[in-house]
Amino acid sequence: MYFVDTIETAGIGNRGYLAGGERTAVVVDPPRDIDRVIAAAARRGVRIAHVVETHIHNDYVTGGPELARVTGAAYLVPAGARVSFERVPVRDGDTTAVDPGSGLNLRAMATPGHTPHHTAYVLEHDGTAVAVFTGGSLLIGAVGRPDLVEPRLTERLARAQHASVHQLAAELPDDTEVLPTHGFGSFCASGPVAGSATTVGKEKAGNDALTQDVDAFVAALLAGLDDIPAYYAHMNPANAAGPAPLDLTPPAVADADDIATRLAAGEWVVDLRSRAAFAQGHVAGSFNFAAEGQLATHLAWLIPPGKPVTLLAESAGQLAAAQRELARVGIDRPAAAATGAPSDWVREGERPSSFPRATFADLAGRRTDHGTVVLDVRRDSERAGGFIAGSVHIPLHHLRPRLREIPDAEVWVHCAGGTRAAIAASLLDAAGRAVIAVDDSFDAAERAGLVVREGATGPGCAGSETGR
């Protein structure tokens, strides 16, 4: 008997796993908030005997060291990873007994590509491979990107990635379940991932890494690499040093005067409410990063490292969930927080600010007005697939330092679906610009009568920036 439970962290697009038998279990690539993992083990009635990492992660802070400390588990990390803490170094071919009584073992397979030291782990039941924890190696219909370590290594790692997934496919039975860490929204994936489950056999039939020769695969992979979130530069060093224990105690409570003082000092005040609620009324100067969706990715990508942040939430539950999610990407302790509504957060005699929301149909009705600027805040790869003629292009993650490039006129800002447009609108509004947030799917732009062009990138394009 054995089981594999998924520990989903949807906000950053990753999965960890708890796998075990009747008495003991192993945790693979644990999230930072380890209480979820401990609760999962308690529900199964098993002891966590081993914690393993497939690699030193670039997109989130691991909970591995703390989980191992709290549970007394052995902490297994690839031997080639350069870390500053005690661990059990794992090498290709090493086998670990997960639950001896259940005939459950874990076998390490060196799979360089996503990182030079990347290691996959084959779960074997009575000597037969039943699943493989592939981390950032073989994903569902894709592979982990090879450009997060060092630009000079990118092509070499891309070729290693091709060889690694072919080794997995050659050595494992077709019905072996493939259980990756990345690929569910994480920017560690090299391309779009479709579906939530797969096997080695399915990947052999449809994954480009397994159907193309190495040269064709590498050329396509390198040509399709997207921007890298800026905060990734801080995740690997944090994980290599050994992250501090997670502290989710409530932050200090901010009143209206505190909020105003923090804004005046240049600190970030982040409103977690929905984009519709924020547009209707908010504290002037605050930014809107809605709690639903990829809060951690968006905020960590844009906020300067170490900048104090105050969180505004509509409820204590929303605040606690956001604090947990932000800690996963190293935004550990909000400087302060407040719950309620804008009327609670502005000083006496002041009124909340607001700006309009619109659709692409509304925008089409205004295009004869030459005082209107259309701002596209999508990434370069999205822009290449089609853009509104005459629009200015500044990807969201480049917007704040480039606000002066936007012509002095009313700005209609859009993205692919509305989330990033809302963030951009809040940045523009805080800078004193007249802004309208287009809360609509980009698919509706052409149907609304707007001219959508493809191929070239159009004016104001940021070029091929990596966003490091």
Side-chain angles (χ1 to χ4, degrees), residues 14 29 38 51 82 94 122 131 149 152 161 194 207 212 274 289 294 311 391 398:
N14 283 320
D29 289 344
I38 293 171
V51 177
R82 301 180 64 179
D94 286 356
V122 182
V149 177
R152 293 172 297 177
Q161 188 73 293
N207 192 309
Q212 295 179 342
S274 72
F289 290 81
Q294 292 184 297
L311 301 178
S391 59
H398 293 303

Side-chain angles (χ1 to χ4, degrees), residues 131-149:
V132 56
F133 301 103
T134 55
S137 182
L138 182 62
L139 310 183
I140 302 177
V143 295
R145 58 193 299 171
D147 60 329
L148 303 181
V149 177

Side-chain angles (χ1 to χ4, degrees), residues 42-141:
R43 287 192 294 270
R44 286 288 188 178
V46 294
R47 177 176 63 87
I48 296 173
H50 298 88
V51 177
V52 306
E53 304 280 9
T54 57
H55 61 294
I56 304 301
H57 302 282
N58 288 284
D59 60 336
Y60 71 94
V61 180
T62 181
E66 183 65 3
L67 181 61
R69 186 189 69 81
V70 168
T71 62
Y75 188 34
L76 281 59
V77 178
R82 301 180 64 179
V83 297
S84 303
F85 48 81
E86 293 295 323
R87 91 286 195 199
V88 178
V90 178
R91 295 173 175 84
D92 184 51
D94 286 356
T95 299
T96 300
V98 174
D99 189 287
S102 300
L104 204 62
N105 293 316
L106 201 66
R107 176 167 57 89
M109 286 183 66
T111 49
H114 186 49
T115 67
H117 61 267
H118 193 283
T119 301
Y121 298 90
V122 182
L123 187 67
E124 298 175 332
H125 184 232
D126 293 334
T128 300
V130 293
V132 56
F133 301 103
T134 55
S137 182
L138 182 62
L139 310 183
I140 302 177

Side-chain angles (χ1 to χ4, degrees), residues 340-362:
S343 57
D344 304 313
W345 305 330
V346 297
R347 292 175 295 190
E348 187 174 353
E350 296 178 347
R351 299 183 62 182
S353 295
S354 64
F355 54 78
R357 295 160 60 234
T359 64
F360 282 110
D362 297 324

Side-chain angles (χ1 to χ4, degrees), residues 373-421:
V373 173
V374 178
L375 175 63
D376 180 353
V377 296
R378 296 173 302 156
R379 297 187 301 276
D380 292 341
S381 58
E382 298 171 282
R383 174 88 170 178
F387 63 93
I388 296 171
S391 59
V392 173
H393 180 218
I394 304 177
L396 175 62
H397 52 280
H398 293 303
L399 183 58
R400 285 196 74 241
R402 297 180 58 187
L403 288 173
R404 292 183 179 180
E405 297 179 26
I406 303 170
D408 187 13
E410 181 181 76
V411 181
W412 290 59
V413 58
H414 80 86
C415 60
T419 298
R420 286 170 292 171

